[in-house]
Amino acid sequence: MTRTTDEIAAAVAADIPPGAFVNLGIGQPTTVAEHLPAGSGVVLHTENGMLGMGPAAYGDQVDPDLTNAGKLPVTQLPGASYFHHADSFAMMRGGHLDVCVLGAFQVSTSGDLANWHTDAPQSIPAVGGAMDLAIGAKQVFVMMSLFTNDGTPKLVPACTYPLTGIGCVNRVYTDLATFDIGPDGLTVRDTFGTTVDELRKRLGIPMHRAALPST
Amino acid sequence: MVLVCETPDDTVADVADGSTILVGGFGMAGMPVDLIDALIRQGAGDLTVVSNNAGNGDTGLAALLAKGRVRKMICSFPRQSDSWVFDGLYRSGRIELEVVPQGNLAERIRAAGAGIGAFFTPTGAGTPLADGKETRDIDGRTYVLEYPIKGDVALVGAYRADRAGNLVYRKTARNFGPVMATAATTVVAQVTEIVEAGLIDPENVVTPGIYVDRVVVP
């Protein structure tokens, strides 16, 4: 069976070390928070200026002065702190964040990331913090579907969309497999409803098989 | 010395056509809506506006854009679900856009306020946003040269001021306020209350009064 988006998020959460400082990108990566075990000690960073971000706010909890990077109302946890934008991005760029989780249009086999702009006519470029996150965190995890709706691979020899960062992605979680990107190239950690040989054929790129058993 | 103004209109009466305006806020959090409304009434045009976003809905920055007062936007994330005013202007070629990665935007403003002539940053290296920019390899990594962004005027939304011009902010509404407050010739803060000097604990001041020129409770 292939993995659902929820199962991908759970897999990412399971790989985040206890006590890590983590930034979850806007959209699907935000749902990783729901799968972090209670007592993990993971501290969430939101680039608009907060560490110790809590879950989404509802009803009486909603405070227009307390939002996440997606501008949605959130809550604060004990031990939270607030800081201005230059500090927020200094802690990112300065390598203080352990993990960031991002979505992607494309990832290349050398870890290049394209996730901010499609270059389509009439589209308006908007980058936000994507480029800062891509090069800042110690480890960059991407979660995405492995193919577009029309079957085009999103894990590619070289990105065709405009780049967000070069050689910055460490791991890619998809519906069909998890891949590590390292100096030796691409390694398949696990597969779901497919095989490594089938992935080689469909993606047309070289990849190693991890020593771990496939599920 | 900070000037405590009676109305938002008093704070922006002298803004000139062609000015560069730094506008605080991330979405609506920290957005100095009353100062922007005053700027709309004041009438200055041909403006360059520096802000994280390019307006939400039809109020605040979006209202200023809708009046055709802005020649150029410098921002990180113009396109949002409710940025129809900017989207329309951009698609019809009536506004210039410089997209800057969010951290570079904050740091370029910080550099202006801190007297830094330019700086090398890894953010954006190898991407279209670094096209044509000077780069340098330092310790095996490629960095891009970025220049400061200085404002003629900064409009920030803070929480509380004292009569010495010290500011504190509230939660994530802090965002660009403290950085922008260092980086413009004239700095205006909109706050919910102005208290006597001494009533903000000096240990808790976020923006020291030296940076702030005018404060107002709308």
Side-chain angles (χ1 to χ4, degrees):
Chain A
M1 283 285 285
T2 62
R3 278 194 293 205
T4 64
T5 307
D6 211 41
E7 288 165 342
I8 297 172
V12 173
D15 286 349
I16 292 177
F21 291 92
V22 177
N23 185 296
L24 301 175
I26 295 171
Q28 283 182 10
T30 304
T31 65
V32 169
E34 296 160 22
H35 298 278
L36 291 168
S40 71
V42 168
V43 178
L44 295 181
H45 170 265
T46 181
E47 60 264 33
N48 50 319
M50 180 187 195
L51 278 166
M53 178 175 62
Y58 297 101
D60 292 350
Q61 295 175 317
V62 171
D63 179 341
D65 286 343
L66 179 46
T67 68
N68 65 12
K71 306 186 176 72
L72 300 173
V74 291
T75 51
Q76 69 181 33
L77 296 177
S81 55
Y82 296 107
F83 32 83
H84 64 64
H85 247 73
D87 278 351
S88 185
F89 283 84
M91 75 182 61
M92 191 184 289
R93 196 189 307 108
H96 306 281
L97 282 181
D98 296 301
V99 177
C100 84
V101 184
L102 298 169
F105 299 138
Q106 290 175 325
V107 176
S108 83
T109 50
S110 60
D112 295 351
L113 172 67
N115 77 346
W116 72 282
H117 188 41
T118 60
D119 248 353
Q122 287 288 294
S123 72
I124 297 173
V127 68
M131 288 186 181
D132 306 273
L133 278 167
I135 58 89
K138 288 179 199 161
Q139 282 199 291
V140 175
F141 294 168
V142 162
M143 54 185 289
M144 66 178 193
S145 59
L146 189 52
F147 295 89
T148 63
N149 287 339
D150 68 6
T152 309
K154 294 166 72 174
L155 188 57
V156 293
C159 296
T160 53
Y161 286 130
L163 290 180
T164 307
I166 291 181
C168 56
V169 177
N170 303 98
R171 189 176 294 165
V172 184
Y173 297 82
T174 75
D175 44 349
L176 296 173
T178 309
F179 303 89
D180 276 333
I181 298 174
D184 301 333
L186 209 57
T187 302
V188 186
R189 288 169 62 89
D190 48 25
T191 59
F192 301 88
T194 187
T195 63
V196 174
D197 286 336
E198 208 170 272
L199 289 171
R200 284 195 182 106
K201 203 184 303 174
R202 289 187 70 189
L203 293 168
I205 48 180
M207 58 189 81
H208 308 288
R209 192 192 305 261
L212 300 165
S214 288
T215 50
Chain B
M1 193 65 192
V2 70
L3 183 68
V4 176
C5 294
E6 288 294 316
T7 69
D9 296 270
D10 297 337
T11 68
V12 295
D14 55 355
V15 175
D17 287 349
S19 296
T20 295
I21 316 279
L22 313 181
V23 178
F26 182 85
M28 293 308 286
M31 173 73 68
V33 173
D34 297 281
L35 300 181
I36 298 168
D37 287 346
L39 185 62
I40 292 170
R41 289 191 293 273
Q42 189 262 359
D46 193 31
L47 303 173
T48 295
V49 170
V50 182
S51 196
N52 189 63
N53 304 108
N56 303 79
D58 293 301
T59 59
L61 187 47
L64 182 70
L65 293 170
K67 292 278 186 191
R69 305 281 175 73
V70 181
R71 181 178 61 80
K72 180 180 182 181
M73 271 306 312
I74 301 176
C75 67
S76 85
F77 208 80
R79 184 193 65 226
Q80 301 169 93
S81 58
D82 58 355
S83 61
W84 49 79
V85 173
F86 175 84
D87 298 359
L89 291 169
Y90 181 78
R91 292 199 167 114
S92 58
R94 287 181 287 162
I95 195 164
E96 288 177 52
L97 172 65
E98 180 181 348
V99 173
V100 181
Q102 205 168 330
N104 285 1
L105 185 66
E107 194 65 14
R108 288 175 65 185
I109 298 166
R110 196 195 74 79
I116 301 295
F119 59 93
F120 282 102
T121 173
T123 303
T127 78
L129 296 189
D131 280 352
K133 293 182 176 175
E134 191 177 334
T135 61
R136 185 174 300 181
D137 289 347
I138 303 169
D139 280 343
R141 193 171 198 195
T142 302
Y143 292 76
V144 182
L145 185 65
E146 294 284 358
Y147 288 91
I149 299 174
K150 184 167 175 55
D152 297 301
V153 179
L155 307 179
V156 306
Y159 179 53
R160 181 183 287 134
D162 67 16
R163 287 185 176 275
N166 297 307
L167 303 179
V168 293
Y169 301 81
R170 193 167 171 276
K171 301 183 185 282
T172 57
R174 181 183 302 204
N175 56 69
F176 279 92
V179 188
M180 288 183 171
T182 68
T185 308
T186 302
V187 174
V188 183
Q190 155 178 351
V191 296
T192 58
E193 64 172 339
I194 299 169
V195 299
E196 292 304 319
L199 292 183
I200 296 175
D201 183 344
E203 296 282 6
N204 294 339
V205 169
V206 176
T207 293
I210 188 172
Y211 295 117
V212 182
D213 298 292
R214 301 167 191 172
V215 294
V216 67
V217 178

